[in-house]
């Protein structure tokens, strides 16, 4: 994706790889991806709506992460890794086991 390097720096390469691996394995449902997008930023959710029919879920997640970088993570005062952990650990998302790996 266009901002792949910057996204990895913002959330940490380990966290980036873990998240995409969970997507590849089918651990994240489409509904969870939608909920994650909604918690990231309204524009990220809009990106989800535009691309939700894409069959390649990894492409979809990378697209969402790009949009999150462009709307939120680009700021120097944002701890992207901590924000990602808070989103994934939210009771509505329920990816507590993934958070423990981060």
């Amino acid at each position: 994706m266009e901002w792949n390097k910057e996204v990895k720096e913002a959330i940490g390469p380990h966290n980036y790889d873990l998240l995409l691996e969970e997507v590849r394995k089918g651990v994240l449902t489409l509904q969870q991806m939608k909920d994650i997008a909604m918690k990231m930023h309204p524009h990220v959710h809009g990106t989800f709506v535009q691309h939700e029919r894409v069959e390649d879920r990894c492409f979809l997640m990378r697209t969402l992460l790009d949009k999150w970088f462009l709307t939120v993570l680009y700021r120097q005062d944002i701890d992207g890794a901590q924000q990602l952990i808070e989103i994934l650990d939210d009771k509505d998302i329920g990816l507590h086991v993934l958070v423990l790996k981060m």
Side-chain angles (χ1 to χ4, degrees), residues 28-85:
L28 269 76
T29 66
L30 192 60
Q31 183 62 50
Q32 283 174 314
M33 291 176 73
K34 176 181 175 135
D35 293 342
I36 289 168
M38 287 173 36
K39 291 184 182 298
M40 287 175 165
H41 191 277
H43 294 166
V44 180
H45 179 252
T47 298
F48 174 86
V49 171
Q50 288 176 333
H51 297 284
E52 68 183 310
R53 298 204 192 290
V54 172
E55 288 194 31
D56 184 346
R57 297 281 171 88
C58 286
F59 172 82
L60 176 57
M61 181 55 77
R62 289 191 312 269
T63 302
L64 298 178
L65 290 170
D66 268 10
K67 188 62 170 185
W68 193 33
F69 177 79
L70 291 171
T71 55
V72 177
L73 298 178
Y74 72 92
R75 296 179 15 213
Q76 296 296 317
D77 62 326
I78 298 293
D79 183 343
Q82 184 59 40
Q83 283 209 351
L84 178 63
I85 287 169

